Amino acid sequence: MVPFILSLIIYCIHTLSSAAEEEKAYLALSFGKTTGDYIQFTPADMSPFQSSFTGCAWIKNQHDASYGPMILHLGPRDQIIMGSNGYWNKVKTHLDLSGRFPEKNVWFHYCLSWSAGGEQKVYINGEEVGSRSASSSNLTMGGDISLGLNAQSSKGSSYIFGGQLFKLNLFSEVLSSSEIRQMSEAGMCSSIEMEHETRKLKWERILTEPRYGNVVEFVPAECTSYIMAKLDKMMSLLKEI
């Protein structure tokens, strides 16, 4: 009986620790509405995405940028740009989907997939909304990743994101339409994206990168009850010992 109880205690402690670690993945970021509110860092290794990738995130627009608000910008020479209002969907070549994205103050799931010599596609809430043929050349590695603003200071205020960003991940493959649909339908509080071995640039890592200006963490209201239910379950198991 004693070994069983000890095993149960160890299991609960491990599970609680895992839940606490997992909770970090439920932190979203809210960006201010000035050119000084952004994240910028040099990725350790972008080579896994050189010939193909899929970038996905949950996005909420809260700002009327005058041109094309940017979620992610990778230099040099505008290699990758992910936008929040449909205008910027670029991997070497531009795909304009203005008017195809949801309105402000609504969370939506966004994915941009690309393969050299293949296709470039954009998905909103699990549905493909646009595509075009992709350049046959690989991405040029190097440069910084900027979140919330164009990395080029000469292109500032018109490109401010000023919204909320959650679970931005880059996968080193082209995810299938069914995989993207499953990810979207599972909801923003699901951990389904963590199951992909090709998730090479992770949201948990992005949360540790340098922030400038008004960029703050918060737990989306949609996920608060989900997290608490998991923790309550673990506490209940401990109380039964």
Side-chain angles (χ1 to χ4, degrees), residues 105-127:
N105 297 314
V106 176
W107 282 109
F108 66 93
H109 189 245
Y110 169 97
C111 287
L112 170 65
S113 68
W114 170 86
S115 63
E119 288 187 293
Q120 178 176 325
K121 296 182 178 181
V122 174
Y123 298 81
I124 297 296
N125 293 330
E127 299 297 329

Side-chain angles (χ1 to χ4, degrees), residues 126-168:
E127 299 297 329
E128 183 183 326
V129 294
S131 66
R132 65 167 297 163
S133 57
S135 167
S136 60
S137 59
N138 288 348
L139 291 174
T140 301
M141 294 296 99
D144 292 337
I145 286 180
S146 296
L147 304 180
L149 189 68
N150 190 311
Q152 301 177 38
S153 59
S154 61
K155 298 180 179 180
S157 59
S158 297
Y159 296 83
I160 296 170
F161 170 43
Q164 296 178 353
L165 182 63
F166 188 40
K167 292 188 176 181
L168 171 62

Side-chain angles (χ1 to χ4, degrees), residues 42 64 87 103-104 124 176 187 190-191:
T42 302
D64 292 317
Y87 182 79
E103 298 297 324
K104 290 197 303 181
I124 297 296
S176 68
S190 166
S191 58

Side-chain angles (χ1 to χ4, degrees), residues 43 45-54 80 91 114 138-139 141 169-173 198-202:
D45 182 16
M46 289 294 287
S47 60
F49 314 109
Q50 199 164 7
S51 61
S52 64
F53 79 92
T54 303
I80 303 174
V91 189
W114 170 86
N138 288 348
L139 291 174
M141 294 296 99
N169 294 286
L170 293 187
F171 305 84
S172 59
E173 65 172 334
T198 59
R199 190 173 68 107
K200 299 301 184 182
L201 181 58
K202 302 178 180 180

Side-chain angles (χ1 to χ4, degrees), residues 10-237:
I10 292 171
Y11 167 76
C12 289
I13 291 174
H14 174 74
T15 307
L16 281 170
S17 176
S18 299
E21 187 68 24
E22 185 180 335
E23 186 177 355
K24 295 179 182 178
Y26 293 98
L27 290 173
L29 293 174
S30 178
F31 290 76
K33 299 178 182 179
T34 76
T35 55
D37 306 319
Y38 63 95
I39 292 176
Q40 190 171 74
F41 62 97
T42 302
D45 182 16
M46 289 294 287
S47 60
F49 314 109
Q50 199 164 7
S51 61
S52 64
F53 79 92
T54 303
C56 295
W58 290 89
I59 300 168
K60 181 188 283 188
N61 286 318
Q62 294 183 308
H63 179 53
D64 292 317
S66 58
Y67 188 38
M70 292 188 178
I71 297 298
L72 180 149
H73 179 278
L74 171 68
R77 297 187 298 278
D78 296 343
Q79 290 289 295
I80 303 174
I81 302 178
M82 295 168 62
S84 65
N85 73 345
Y87 182 79
W88 284 111
N89 306 279
K90 181 176 181 179
V91 189
K92 298 179 74 70
T93 52
H94 184 38
L95 175 59
D96 183 357
L97 297 172
S98 299
R100 304 289 299 277
F101 279 33
E103 298 297 324
K104 290 197 303 181
N105 297 314
V106 176
W107 282 109
F108 66 93
H109 189 245
Y110 169 97
C111 287
L112 170 65
S113 68
W114 170 86
S115 63
E119 288 187 293
Q120 178 176 325
K121 296 182 178 181
V122 174
Y123 298 81
I124 297 296
N125 293 330
E127 299 297 329
E128 183 183 326
V129 294
S131 66
R132 65 167 297 163
S133 57
S135 167
S136 60
S137 59
N138 288 348
L139 291 174
T140 301
M141 294 296 99
D144 292 337
I145 286 180
S146 296
L147 304 180
L149 189 68
N150 190 311
Q152 301 177 38
S153 59
S154 61
K155 298 180 179 180
S157 59
S158 297
Y159 296 83
I160 296 170
F161 170 43
Q164 296 178 353
L165 182 63
F166 188 40
K167 292 188 176 181
L168 171 62
N169 294 286
L170 293 187
F171 305 84
S172 59
E173 65 172 334
V174 174
L175 296 180
S176 68
S177 58
S178 61
E179 287 177 307
I180 291 174
R181 188 177 304 110
Q182 288 171 4
M183 199 179 298
S184 176
E185 291 177 350
M188 60 189 293
C189 304
S190 166
S191 58
I192 187 172
E193 71 280 346
M194 296 182 180
E195 300 170 5
H196 286 269
E197 294 183 359
T198 59
R199 190 173 68 107
K200 299 301 184 182
L201 181 58
K202 302 178 180 180
W203 178 240
E204 305 94 290
R205 168 66 189 276
I206 290 173
L207 288 171
T208 69
E209 299 294 352
R211 305 172 195 172
Y212 303 91
N214 183 21
V215 181
V216 297
E217 295 178 352
F218 71 101
V219 176
E222 292 84 351
C223 297
T224 302
S225 58
Y226 178 86
I227 295 170
M228 292 307 299
K230 294 185 70 173
L231 293 176
D232 286 345
K233 183 177 180 180
M234 294 303 103
M235 293 304 296
S236 297
L237 285 174

